[in-house]
Amino acid sequence: MAGKHLLTLADMARGDLEALLDRAQQFSDGADARGRLAGIAVCTLFFEPSTRTRLSFQRAAQRLGADVLNFDAATSSTTKGETDVDTLRNIEAMGVRGFVIRHREDGAVARLSEVVQPGTKLINAGDGRSQHPTQGLLDMLTIRQAKGDDFSTLKIAIVGDIRHSRVARSDLCALRALGATDVRVCAPESLLPDAQTLQGCTVEADVAKAISGADVVMTLRLQRERMQEGLVSSLEDYHRDYGITTERMKLAKPDAVVMHPGPMNRGIEISDEVADGPQSLILRQVANGVAVRMAVLETALAG
């Protein structure tokens, strides 16, 4: 993806994906890249709230020596009716050549990529329920650090609100590209996506079966803000049937690891004991986010 937008992990070649992970690992190990983006302005253009992703991209751009601009939709001219396209073009006219964009609408970042100047690069920081490619990359880096780079030997369980999750879609694209062959997904039927999204996965209705013997257990946030109707009977019932607890983790392999993209709803999709326990890699994911986003920004913008 050198010199290109990063809009999705769908159809990304395994070699390109592994090259990004290799570079991210170098940054995780302390490689110094100060000055790689010196003189390049990067704007975090977020039309939707975010904490981890926004700060992670800002930290990554700073470590590469970029000039970082922060756009906040709540205090911007979009509240006066300015379109997303005009907002981007106005910031671009100030000499900004890198945009990290989060948007509530599916496909919004790809749409914006069609109107920018040739030298401007866009990175999708999450659009609707479509894709979140850098989260997918940091999840793969976290798994690789914990379990090695042979994904074909791993049993991976993804539990939770997959229907509304752009993280799950990016993770599934990346897992397929890296050769994972045993991916189980588990959720209430109302929270499962279409069959095409789940291509190559085993769908388990019983969370115990999904977790049994797993090397990696990835749990997803119940995204109530994206739901148009009540898709679960109650939060208590959801935790009872799908929550990742210490007792349930006993069904996985003894050295299994637990992941969550955040923000966590403690006591709903994951218990405190698991989230803060020795098997949790949740804070490792956050740390890896900076390294992965450094690799992505460098690849897209350093030339």
Side-chain angles (χ1 to χ4, degrees):
M1 58 161 282
K4 298 180 180 179
H5 306 299
L6 177 59
L7 306 178
T8 177
L9 294 185
D11 301 322
M12 178 178 280
R14 180 170 184 165
D16 291 339
L17 201 156
E18 289 179 332
L20 286 170
L21 296 181
D22 290 343
R23 185 56 170 153
Q25 185 61 55
Q26 292 175 356
F27 288 133
S28 179
D29 292 338
D32 186 3
R34 287 174 293 182
R36 288 289 288 149
L37 296 185
I40 295 177
V42 175
C43 179
T44 53
L45 189 61
F46 279 45
F47 297 98
E48 188 180 56
S50 169
T51 301
R52 277 160 304 282
T53 302
R54 180 199 290 274
L55 292 178
S56 180
F57 267 111
Q58 290 175 348
R59 180 68 177 132
Q62 289 168 351
R63 287 185 60 185
L64 292 167
D67 300 322
V68 184
L69 290 77
N70 177 33
F71 169 90
D72 182 359
T75 58
S76 75
S77 293
T78 59
T79 62
K80 303 175 184 178
E82 184 174 78
T83 68
D84 300 348
V85 170
D86 283 336
T87 296
L88 187 150
R89 282 176 166 167
N90 276 281
I91 299 172
E92 187 182 35
M94 299 176 194
V96 176
R97 288 297 171 262
F99 287 87
V100 178
I101 303 178
R102 169 164 287 195
H103 207 288
R104 64 181 58 86
E105 296 178 9
D106 293 354
V109 185
R111 173 173 54 84
L112 290 171
S113 73
E114 298 173 356
V115 303
V116 298
Q117 297 298 315
T120 299
K121 305 306 173 192
L122 307 189
I123 296 169
N124 184 355
D127 62 331
R129 57 176 83 170
S130 178
Q131 281 278 317
H132 194 347
T134 58
Q135 181 70 44
L137 289 168
L138 74 88
D139 286 345
M140 297 308 106
L141 180 63
T142 304
I143 293 172
R144 197 166 77 160
Q145 289 171 345
K147 297 295 178 182
D149 57 8
D150 187 357
F151 280 68
S152 68
T153 67
L154 299 178
K155 297 178 173 60
I156 299 170
I158 302 176
V159 180
D161 185 0
I162 301 167
R163 177 176 177 177
H164 300 96
S165 177
R166 53 197 174 204
V167 173
R169 286 169 173 79
S170 289
D171 279 342
L172 290 172
C173 289
L175 288 169
R176 282 191 284 264
L178 292 172
T181 58
D182 189 347
V183 179
R184 305 99 173 260
V185 297
C186 182
E189 186 174 354
S190 59
L191 296 182
L192 288 172
D194 58 88
Q196 183 177 356
T197 299
L198 299 179
Q199 181 182 359
C201 300
T202 300
V203 179
E204 291 285 3
D206 185 347
V207 69
K209 291 182 180 179
I211 294 175
S212 180
D215 298 284
V216 178
V217 177
M218 305 174 69
T219 181
L220 302 169
R221 181 171 66 89
L222 194 62
Q223 298 192 34
R224 287 169 285 172
E225 76 277 9
R226 297 190 195 282
M227 296 181 185
Q228 301 302 312
E229 61 279 326
L231 298 180
V232 296
S233 56
S234 72
L235 298 182
E236 293 78 12
D237 289 349
Y238 182 86
H239 181 69
R240 180 197 65 206
D241 296 337
Y242 297 97
I244 305 304
T245 63
T246 302
E247 285 302 309
R248 285 197 166 122
M249 282 305 300
K250 292 178 181 178
L251 300 171
K253 289 184 179 177
D255 62 347
V257 296
V258 177
M259 300 170 61
H260 192 303
M264 290 183 289
N265 292 309
R266 290 173 178 263
I268 299 177
E269 64 255 5
I270 191 168
S271 69
D272 289 341
E273 294 77 14
V274 175
D276 302 325
Q279 293 173 285
S280 173
L281 297 182
I282 294 170
L283 291 180
R284 173 89 67 85
Q285 290 173 268
V286 176
N288 281 337
V290 177
V292 159
R293 285 154 183 151
M294 288 178 70
V296 168
L297 286 167
E298 179 190 53
T299 303
L301 295 170

